[in-house]
Amino acid sequence: MKKHNPTFTKGGVHPPQSKLTAGQPVVPVALPRKVMLLLNQHIGAPATPVVAKGDEVTRGQLVADASGFVSASIHTPISGVVTDIRDVFSSTGMPVKAIVIEAEEHHHIADENARKAPQMLRDTAQLDALTPAEIRDIAGGCGLVGLGGATFPAKVKLAPPADAKIDYLIINGAECEPYLTCDDALMRSKPDEIIAGVRLMARACGAASAIVGIEDNKPEAIGEMTRAASPFSDVKVVALQTKYPQGGEKQLVQALTGRSIPSGALPAAVGVVVHNVATAHALFRAAAHGLPVMERIVTVTGDVARPGNYLVAVGSRIGSIIDTAGGLRGDNCKIVLGGPMMGRAANNVDAPTIKGVSGILIMPEDRARRPQAMPCIRCGCCLRVCPMGLEPYLISTYGRLGLLDEGAAAGTMDCIECGCCSYTCPSDRPLVDFIRLGKKNIADKKTSRCRRC
């Protein structure tokens, strides 16, 4: 009998993969002459500027420092002059404080040359000699955040509670979102550097071993990563079933270890720390080359002339990245940052990219248009596919009606907003939208209570 690759046990769906850019190489995009670096492009407190208008800066320089434990520093991907520190409009149209930097021709030429030949700060022996504290300092100093999209400051996850015994470091290479292939491209092109980053992470958080989970629709990535990990007995690569949301933190931990994370708890509660493959690679670049997080691979796909995986500078204009991919092929398109399941619509292409943008998906209007929602028919589809074992129809209703206490009691805060419920609903109800609203209102209410205490 054929042995099946592991997966999580509750729910999940199988949307069309639409991996249009699978197998394509990483294409570096020329550095922009202007960047807008948002100060709150991570979970936690916004970074605090350490430069002023008129200052001259160099590529990789710290321009905004972390303003607390849960915060992340920001570095400029280009040399030039700080022309302003002001509010700019984000991809959702909201005003957000940003540092604006512009480069002259001589800056641009020098940066491109430096980008092609990064210096070696530490060799393999020196990397192996780094202590856990030094690795965490490097993660904090380079502005490392979760590059799978969550953007949680990595230094925090690399410093689990003192009483937590970490057995496993889990590395997420599932990339279960349809259309996205940036992690796949990274694993195919830089497997040895990723594994080196994984080993640094394991040492930093005290994990006895590391497991890299990759969905089985990426055979070349699995092969390359397995080869790179083969010299190290403490790193294992596991092929996972292709099922959405395989890359969800709780789903991944269960699939690879059999452990279940309790409601409201973090993976450290069951002896696990989880990071993304791109985050591991960025840690290696910081430790080996002294490079902060200032560029990343972005999948640009859908209704564009040249879908592909592009290496772009953080702070680049979204519209310019789309132009690099050949521009829109249709007149009426919807732009989504991320994948179709969990991504967010962008209504401002003049906004800058941030560290967490892994994809830019262009969808024709007729495919992106949401059908008219119909009454719930009590079919139970949303219950069957919910990977958290929740009742989406119920907590969505609580969110829509503002019944916050009832929603909290029904497990609203356990929802991972994967979108499985909305995807499978035959009545086309926007279930996850109202659940997301309920989560926000519950969190706001809790914060308000804390402030009064």
Side-chain angles (χ1 to χ4, degrees):
M1 185 175 179
K2 183 179 178 181
K3 181 181 177 181
H4 293 288
N5 291 328
T7 188
F8 55 96
T9 56
K10 289 182 181 177
V13 294
H14 295 86
Q17 291 296 296
S18 302
K19 303 282 190 178
L20 309 179
T21 53
Q24 292 196 17
V26 177
V27 178
V29 176
L31 293 172
R33 301 297 183 93
K34 175 182 177 179
V35 294
M36 295 183 289
L37 303 172
L38 302 188
L39 297 180
N40 64 340
Q41 54 180 296
H42 50 263
I43 289 177
T48 303
V50 295
V51 293
K53 182 177 179 179
D55 286 354
E56 187 161 344
V57 296
T58 57
R59 173 174 161 82
Q61 181 178 326
L62 177 73
V63 294
D65 204 1
S67 58
F69 183 59
V70 183
S71 184
S73 58
I74 298 170
H75 304 75
T76 175
I78 64 172
S79 302
V81 176
V82 177
T83 57
D84 211 346
I85 300 177
R86 58 178 171 83
D87 283 345
V88 302
F89 291 109
S90 70
S91 61
T92 60
M94 298 296 291
V96 182
K97 191 74 71 180
I99 299 172
V100 183
I101 300 170
E102 297 187 34
E104 298 289 346
E105 179 68 16
H106 67 280
H107 294 131
H108 181 71
I109 294 173
D111 286 347
E112 286 290 3
N113 290 334
R115 187 189 193 197
K116 293 174 185 175
Q119 65 174 342
M120 179 60 73
L121 183 65
R122 297 181 180 89
D123 59 22
T124 301
Q126 291 170 318
L127 291 176
D128 289 342
L130 289 172
T131 67
E134 288 172 332
I135 297 170
R136 291 192 289 269
D137 286 343
I138 290 171
C142 77
L144 187 61
V145 299
L147 297 177
T151 65
F152 192 82
K155 63 180 180 182
V156 179
K157 293 172 73 172
L158 291 175
D163 59 348
K165 180 181 180 297
I166 303 302
D167 301 312
Y168 299 106
L169 167 67
I170 300 296
I171 299 297
N172 182 3
E175 197 166 48
C176 57
E177 268 275 12
Y179 286 95
L180 300 187
T181 61
C182 54
D183 286 348
D184 180 27
L186 178 63
M187 289 186 285
R188 287 186 288 105
S189 61
K190 302 291 183 181
D192 297 286
E193 294 183 0
I194 294 172
I195 294 300
V198 169
R199 299 187 72 232
L200 289 171
M201 283 182 162
R203 195 183 319 149
C205 66
S209 62
I211 308 174
V212 183
I214 308 172
E215 283 193 330
D216 54 17
N217 62 352
K218 305 172 185 63
E220 187 177 342
I222 292 172
E224 286 296 319
M225 291 291 287
T226 300
R227 177 199 58 75
S230 60
F232 309 107
S233 60
D234 55 347
V235 182
K236 180 170 66 172
V237 176
V238 175
L240 297 163
Q241 284 187 39
T242 298
K243 183 170 72 168
Y244 181 84
Q246 190 75 260
E249 197 169 65
K250 294 188 176 184
Q251 287 67 41
L252 194 63
V253 169
Q254 186 195 50
L256 292 173
T257 70
R259 302 180 183 185
S260 296
I261 302 172
S263 174
L266 297 173
V270 294
V272 176
V273 169
V274 182
H275 277 288
N276 179 266
V277 288
T279 314
H281 181 249
L283 178 60
F284 166 80
R285 281 168 57 85
H289 300 288
L291 295 172
V293 180
M294 53 186 178
E295 57 187 11
R296 65 157 301 146
I297 303 171
V298 177
T299 300
V300 187
T301 186
D303 207 20
V304 290
R306 293 189 297 274
N309 299 301
Y310 296 94
L311 181 65
V312 302
V314 173
S316 299
R317 180 175 163 272
I318 292 171
S320 70
I321 300 172
I322 296 173
D323 291 340
T324 298
L328 306 179
R329 290 196 299 187
D331 294 329
N332 298 312
C333 296
K334 182 175 183 178
I335 299 172
V336 178
L337 300 186
M341 299 298 287
M342 294 187 71
R344 302 292 181 96
N347 55 29
N348 176 25
V349 295
D350 289 325
T353 59
I354 61 175
K355 296 176 184 180
V357 173
S358 56
I360 301 175
L361 170 61
I362 315 300
M363 301 186 71
E365 179 86 19
D366 57 344
R367 290 184 58 193
R369 188 182 302 116
R370 177 172 287 170
Q372 179 66 41
M374 303 295 288
C376 176
I377 60 174
R378 302 295 190 270
C379 64
C381 285
C382 61
L383 278 74
R384 288 192 290 274
V385 301
C386 179
M388 296 301 297
L390 303 174
E391 297 178 277
Y393 76 93
L394 179 62
I395 58 177
S396 175
T397 300
Y398 286 148
R400 177 170 59 86
L401 298 178
L403 301 174
L404 306 186
D405 291 338
E406 293 84 349
T412 296
M413 300 307 288
D414 286 328
C415 172
I416 61 173
E417 303 178 28
C418 65
C420 287
C421 53
S422 295
Y423 175 79
T424 196
C425 178
S427 294
D428 296 310
R429 298 183 66 77
L431 299 173
V432 74
D433 292 358
F434 287 119
I435 295 173
R436 188 178 287 136
L437 176 64
K439 288 180 69 175
K440 180 183 183 303
N441 289 337
I442 291 170
D444 289 347
K445 183 178 180 180
K446 182 178 180 181
T447 301
S448 178
R449 284 175 176 170
C450 290
R451 286 172 178 167
R452 290 199 299 266
C453 291

